[in-house]
């Protein structure tokens, strides 16, 4: 992975590497000093400052703030919050000074006089630590640059004067305690870079190792850590002390790549194409980098999603997309890194031998205008993600930007009803299957989701929908299950080899034939039994005068495992509403009688747990009493 990241960072031009840089939040001050008369005659010639608030000014930086951000990029302490690597700080053990450059000084407002850290924690106050800081920082520069560092040190020596100056700045009193106070000398960026290069040479490695052929090597700081304080976590029998040592030049390239990743200007996930010497491969790489650069310049809300970018690249390539790495990097964490040998953009339905999928509205889902919903034809994997997987797990958590991110329980709470309900089973399903969905869609690993996994992913969430009375979601999921099961389960093993779109049509037709026949038409298999049971249960429960519109009563039926007990429960429900069914005005009474007769006569031994979705299909599909003869 390090090699691929290094190769990616090396081909980025300097302009690309500057996109998205952000200054630290707080007060940014640029001090101009005139050294025309030498160090002894240096005088302050001007001060510029600006307060930066990321929420208010993100994407709208002034030239001044961009300049400050560029200086901070080459002045800040490495791995400041990482333990035990905070030794890279020049202000130990207090860690109140955040920079390492002799030309830049940064702290937080809480470290100033009257701040919480100044009062409570620091025994040696920050103004007393300034000489110690500059003594270390000046080791990074040649003697000819000492005059700049000495001037800044002398200026900060008069700490009271510095703090009085801060109080004269508009908006300083409104800054929070965590706001940064950053003082920059107005020097060429090359001067800052030279000092920071010396700092990186000494501190970029987490562990420096003996040089090899005069070349500095060590263990990179990129996502590396040592268990110095926990010996029981160390390898006790390893034949090596440290694994993965790299050169300093390589470590700097990785460090540069990490800074670009942390700016969130690249698509997530990030495709890293191998930089082939072949003309076609080189052309693709140039296209990719040009596209990334174009999107990085835009505001976050205006950037194309990963799906749109990959679609554009796929359509512009004559040979498709293959042989690239896919990195999922979020909030400083590497969630996934894998090689994609070939990306399959288009769908191929092996069962029907066609390059599309159709979702049939078997359950009669209605639109807002009360019309039968029509599903779009699915031609590619991103449509599959939108139409099939998103409704199963949660729309928000199936977007490419967050598919492998942290799942929040509050995103799985339904508050539309009188009481809030936690979608517990949906949350568990998301935890279990989102990585498989990611592999299937984004990496074309078709074995990531097979028939049993797809069925369990969907069916396990139905309990949440029943509890929350989400009838439309249940119907949507049943439409999906019955319409595309064969895509993941080519032999339809989930349904004993039955192709469900045809089977559901035959079940509906059989139900109406039994209901309207003057002669007996027996139920032939357990699927007909389960579907007709759902139809009857739904009809009988609709006759209830109860104000409870939940599906709690359905639990009584679906929890049964013995078919005789199941039929007894239906019989009790029929007796409860017998008078309503048999009244002369009920034109459907003969239909009910015919269906009840065949239900009670069915005597085959079946596994009701496997018929759960068929009972729900009968229960939620348009029932016989709403259809004509």
């Amino acid at each position: 992975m390090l090699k691929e990241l290094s190769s990616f960072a090396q081909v980025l031009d300097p302009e690309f590497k500057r996109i998205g840089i952000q200054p630290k939040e707080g007060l940014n001050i640029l001090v101009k000093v005139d050294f025309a008369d030498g160090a002894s005659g240096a005088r302050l010639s001007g001060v510029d400052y600006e307060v930066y608030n990321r929420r208010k000014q993100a994407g709208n930086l002034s030239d001044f703030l961009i300049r400050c951000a560029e200086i901070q990029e080459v002045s800040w302490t490495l791995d400041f919050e990482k333990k035990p690597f905070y030794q890279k700080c020049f202000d130990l053990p207090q860690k109140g000074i955040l920079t390492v450059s002799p030309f830049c000084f940064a702290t937080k407002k809480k470290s100033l006089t009257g701040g919480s850290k100044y009062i409570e924690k620091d025994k040696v106050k920050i103004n007393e630590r300034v000489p110690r800081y500059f003594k270390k920082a000046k080791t990074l520069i040649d003697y000819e640059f000492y005059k700049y560092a000495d001037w800044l040190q002398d200026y900060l020596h008069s700490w009271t004067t510095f703090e009085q100056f801060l109080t004269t700045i508009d908006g300083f009193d409104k800054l929070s305690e965590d706001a940064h106070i950053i003082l920059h000398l107005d020097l060429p960026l090359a001067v800052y870079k030279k000092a920071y290069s010396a700092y990186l040479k000494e501190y970029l490695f987490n562990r420096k190792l003996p040089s090899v052929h005069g070349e500095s090597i060590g263990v990179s700081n990129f996502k590396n850590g040592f268990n110095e304080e926990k010996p029981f976590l160390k390898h006790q029998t390893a034949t090596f002390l440290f694994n993965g040592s790299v050169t300093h030049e390589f470590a700097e390239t990785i460090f540069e790549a990490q800074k670009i990743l942390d700016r969130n200007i690249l698509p997530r996930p990030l495709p890293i194409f191998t930089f082939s010497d072949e003309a076609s491969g080189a052309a693709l790489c140039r296209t990719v980098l040009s596209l990334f650069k174009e999107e990085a310049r835009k505001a976050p809300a205006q950037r194309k999603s990963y799906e749109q970018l990959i679609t554009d690249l796929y359509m512009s390539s004559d040979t498709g997309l293959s042989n690239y790495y896919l990195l999922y990097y979020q909030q400083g964490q590497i969630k996934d890194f894998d090689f994609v040998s070939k990306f399959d953009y288009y769908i191929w339905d092996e069962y029907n031998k066609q390059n599309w999928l159709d979702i049939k509205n078997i359950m009669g889902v209605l639109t807002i205008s009360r019309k039968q919903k029509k599903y779009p034809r699915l031609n590619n994997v991103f449509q599959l993600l939108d139409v099939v997987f998103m409704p199963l797990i949660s729309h928000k958590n199936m977007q490419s930007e967050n598919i492998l991110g942290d799942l929040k329980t509050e995103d799985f709470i339904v508050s539309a009803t009188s009481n809030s309900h936690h979608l517990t089973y949906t949350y568990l399903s998301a935890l279990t299957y989102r990585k498989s969905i990611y592999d299937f869609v984004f990496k074309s690993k078709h074995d990531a989701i097979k028939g049993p996994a797809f069925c369990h992913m969907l069916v396990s969430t139905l309990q949440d929908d029943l509890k929350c009375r989400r009838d439309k979601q249940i119907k949507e999921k049943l439409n999906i299950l019955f319409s595309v099961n064969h895509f993941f389960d080519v032999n339809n093993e989930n349904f004993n080899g039955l192709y469900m779109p045809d089977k559901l049509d035959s079940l509906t037709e059989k139900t109406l034939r039994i209901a309207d026949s003057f002669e007996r038409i027996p139920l032939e298999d357990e699927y007909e039994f389960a579907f007709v049971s759902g139809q009857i249960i739904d009809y009988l429960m609709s006759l209830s005068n109860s104000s409870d519109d939940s599906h709690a009563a359905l639990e009584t039926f679906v929890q049964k495992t013995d078919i005789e007990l199941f039929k007894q429960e239906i019989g009790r429900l029929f007796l409860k509403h017998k008078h309503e069914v048999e009244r002369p005005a009920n034109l459907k009474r003969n239909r009910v009688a015919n269906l009840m007769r065949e239900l009670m006569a069915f005597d085959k031994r079946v596994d009701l747990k496997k018929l759960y979705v068929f009972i729900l299909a009968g229960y939620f599909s348009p029932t016989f009493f709403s259809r004509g003869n």
Side-chain angles (χ1 to χ4, degrees):
M1 179 181 68
L2 295 182
K3 182 179 178 182
E4 286 72 36
L5 280 177
S6 175
S7 299
F8 176 74
Q10 285 175 353
V11 298
L12 300 180
D13 59 61
E15 184 183 357
F16 197 130
K17 294 176 181 178
R18 293 178 64 250
I19 297 175
I21 59 172
Q22 297 281 336
K24 305 296 180 182
E25 287 195 278
L27 177 60
N28 292 268
I29 306 170
L30 187 68
V31 179
K32 300 178 181 179
V33 182
D34 186 3
F35 289 93
D37 299 331
S40 58
R43 60 184 181 83
L44 182 66
S45 61
V47 176
D48 292 327
Y49 57 83
E50 189 172 339
V51 175
Y52 175 62
N53 185 308
R54 182 166 296 179
R55 285 181 297 177
K56 295 180 180 179
Q57 296 168 265
N60 189 27
L61 298 180
S62 64
D63 292 339
F64 174 81
L65 286 177
I66 292 175
R67 167 107 162 102
C68 292
E70 290 175 339
I71 293 174
Q72 292 163 24
E73 282 271 311
V74 290
S75 300
W76 218 254
T77 303
L78 282 175
D79 303 330
F80 189 77
E81 300 297 337
K82 291 184 181 179
K83 190 176 181 180
F85 305 125
Y86 52 67
Q87 284 89 346
K88 298 176 182 182
C89 176
F90 282 180
D91 183 35
L92 295 175
Q94 290 83 6
K95 297 195 300 177
I97 302 174
L98 311 177
T99 48
V100 292
S101 174
F103 316 121
C104 183
F105 180 87
T107 187
K108 289 190 175 181
K109 189 178 179 183
K110 62 185 177 184
S111 292
L112 303 179
T113 304
S116 60
K117 192 173 181 182
Y118 186 93
I119 296 171
E120 299 174 6
K121 296 182 180 180
D122 292 339
K123 295 180 181 179
V124 182
K125 305 308 179 186
I126 190 169
N127 55 303
E128 300 171 6
R129 306 195 304 266
V130 169
R132 182 182 66 187
Y133 167 75
F134 278 98
K135 183 179 180 180
K136 292 182 179 180
K138 284 161 69 174
T139 62
L140 305 175
I141 57 175
D142 297 330
Y143 180 77
E144 61 180 299
F145 299 107
Y146 271 33
K147 59 183 179 181
Y148 307 121
D150 290 341
W151 186 92
L152 184 58
Q153 181 178 350
D154 291 342
Y155 176 76
L156 293 173
H157 182 71
S158 304
W159 192 259
T160 305
T161 305
F162 171 60
E163 290 192 334
Q164 287 176 351
F165 162 71
L166 293 177
T167 58
T168 64
I169 295 177
D170 292 337
F172 175 77
D173 56 331
K174 298 179 182 179
L175 293 175
S176 68
E177 282 226 315
D178 284 322
H180 295 86
I181 310 298
I182 311 171
L183 204 61
H184 318 74
L185 283 184
D186 187 17
L187 296 174
L189 191 62
V191 176
Y192 279 94
K193 286 183 176 180
K194 187 175 181 180
Y196 201 60
S197 179
Y199 171 75
L200 293 179
K201 192 170 184 179
E202 187 66 27
Y203 293 96
L204 184 56
F205 290 132
N206 279 353
R207 180 62 59 91
K208 212 171 181 182
L209 302 178
S211 300
V212 176
H213 303 300
E215 191 169 24
S216 179
I217 64 170
V219 180
S220 168
N221 74 326
F222 181 74
K223 309 305 173 191
N224 259 334
F226 297 105
N227 304 310
E228 297 288 349
E229 297 183 355
K230 298 178 180 179
F232 59 90
L233 291 179
K234 291 184 178 181
H235 287 291
Q236 303 297 325
T237 59
T239 58
F240 50 84
L241 286 177
F242 306 109
N243 189 22
S245 59
V246 297
T247 64
H248 177 76
E249 182 182 358
F250 186 88
E252 276 206 64
T253 310
I254 294 298
F255 174 61
E256 199 165 36
Q258 182 179 358
K259 289 194 295 184
I260 296 171
L261 288 172
D262 288 336
R263 292 176 196 161
N264 290 326
I265 60 172
L266 295 170
R268 186 186 303 132
L270 172 66
I272 302 176
F273 289 85
T274 53
F275 299 99
S276 171
D277 294 332
E278 298 178 8
S280 59
L284 176 61
C285 292
R286 287 194 297 270
T287 303
V288 170
L289 293 177
S290 175
L291 191 57
F292 286 177
K293 187 175 181 179
E294 179 184 346
E295 294 302 314
R297 289 197 183 103
K298 298 178 181 178
Q302 298 174 344
R303 291 175 189 154
K304 291 181 179 179
S305 66
Y306 171 83
E307 292 92 330
Q308 292 171 315
L309 288 173
I310 287 295
T311 299
D312 291 346
L313 289 173
Y314 190 90
M315 295 304 175
S316 64
S317 174
D318 297 330
T319 58
L321 301 178
S322 59
N323 298 327
Y324 63 94
Y325 293 88
L326 199 59
L327 170 66
Y328 199 99
Y329 186 90
Q330 186 178 31
Q331 297 178 343
Q333 298 179 8
I334 298 172
K335 305 284 188 177
D336 186 69
F337 183 79
D338 204 353
F339 181 73
V340 181
S341 58
K342 186 177 185 299
F343 176 65
D344 295 324
Y345 177 75
Y346 289 110
I347 285 174
W348 174 250
D349 183 355
E350 180 64 28
Y351 186 88
N352 292 310
K353 305 300 181 185
Q354 60 191 24
N355 58 357
W356 72 84
L357 281 174
D358 284 324
I359 296 181
K360 298 183 178 181
N361 193 359
I362 303 168
M363 306 306 299
V365 177
L366 301 178
T367 62
I368 298 176
S369 58
R370 308 300 295 173
K371 295 181 180 179
Q372 290 286 318
K373 179 177 180 178
K374 293 183 179 180
Y375 292 89
R377 174 168 285 184
L378 309 183
N379 297 301
N380 62 69
V381 289
F382 296 134
Q383 290 177 326
L384 190 73
L385 178 68
D386 291 340
V387 180
V388 173
F389 291 122
M390 277 191 176
L392 302 188
I393 304 299
S394 169
H395 287 263
K396 181 177 181 179
N397 296 292
M398 280 296 103
Q399 296 172 353
S400 60
E401 280 288 306
N402 197 48
I403 190 170
L404 295 183
D406 296 333
L407 292 180
K408 299 178 181 178
T409 53
E410 54 263 31
D411 292 335
F412 293 87
I413 296 177
V414 176
S415 303
T417 54
S418 56
N419 298 313
S420 295
H421 294 284
H422 290 263
L423 303 179
T424 307
Y425 293 100
T426 306
Y427 176 70
L428 293 175
S429 183
L431 285 175
T432 305
Y433 292 109
R434 61 180 177 154
K435 179 59 166 60
S436 299
I437 294 172
Y438 175 77
D439 288 345
F440 188 96
V441 173
F442 295 88
K443 295 190 283 187
S444 299
K445 292 187 176 181
H446 299 297
D447 58 346
I449 300 177
K450 291 295 186 181
F454 176 70
C455 186
H456 183 266
M457 179 197 314
L458 187 150
V459 174
S460 62
T461 65
L462 294 176
Q463 298 180 60
D464 287 332
D465 299 320
L466 285 170
K467 178 178 64 177
C468 302
R469 305 195 294 276
R470 305 203 306 172
D471 292 12
K472 184 177 180 180
Q473 283 82 351
I474 294 173
K475 293 180 180 181
E476 293 267 17
K477 290 177 181 180
L478 290 175
N479 279 341
I480 292 170
L481 175 63
F482 295 137
S483 298
V484 304
N485 175 76
H486 66 277
F487 180 70
F488 302 97
D489 179 19
V490 177
N491 296 321
N492 286 307
E493 294 178 3
N494 287 333
F495 304 115
N496 287 344
L498 298 174
Y499 179 60
M500 293 314 298
D502 293 343
K503 182 63 178 177
L504 264 293
D505 289 339
S506 69
L507 290 177
T508 303
E509 180 185 350
K510 182 69 174 283
T511 302
L512 293 176
R513 282 176 53 213
I514 294 173
D516 295 326
S517 176
F518 294 104
E519 299 178 356
R520 283 199 59 188
I521 302 177
L523 299 173
E524 297 177 358
D525 57 40
E526 62 267 31
Y527 303 109
E528 294 179 355
F529 171 78
F531 186 83
V532 172
S533 298
Q535 293 267 290
I536 285 291
I537 293 169
D538 179 41
Y539 172 71
L540 293 177
M541 290 176 64
S542 70
L543 300 177
S544 174
N545 294 322
S546 172
S547 59
D548 182 13
D549 61 348
S550 72
H551 302 299
L554 185 61
E555 291 279 330
T556 307
F557 298 93
V558 297
Q559 287 179 355
K560 294 288 186 292
T561 56
D562 183 270
I563 188 172
E564 294 302 324
L565 295 178
F566 180 76
K567 291 194 294 185
Q568 287 179 20
E569 200 64 43
I570 295 177
R572 292 192 187 96
L573 184 64
F574 176 79
L575 291 175
K576 182 178 179 181
H577 301 288
K578 180 180 178 182
H579 296 292
E580 182 67 23
V581 172
E582 294 183 345
R583 63 187 177 87
N586 185 2
L587 301 179
K588 307 296 183 183
R589 60 184 184 276
N590 290 332
R591 283 186 163 186
V592 177
N594 289 347
L595 292 172
M596 281 295 297
R597 179 186 64 214
E598 300 306 328
L599 276 182
M600 295 301 122
F602 188 79
D603 59 355
K604 296 180 180 179
R605 307 305 299 177
V606 297
D607 185 353
L608 289 176
K609 289 296 180 183
K610 293 183 179 180
L611 299 176
Y612 176 64
V613 293
F614 287 92
I615 296 173
L616 292 182
Y619 183 84
F620 284 101
S621 65
T623 51
F624 60 90
F625 67 85
S626 63
R627 299 175 186 266
N629 291 1

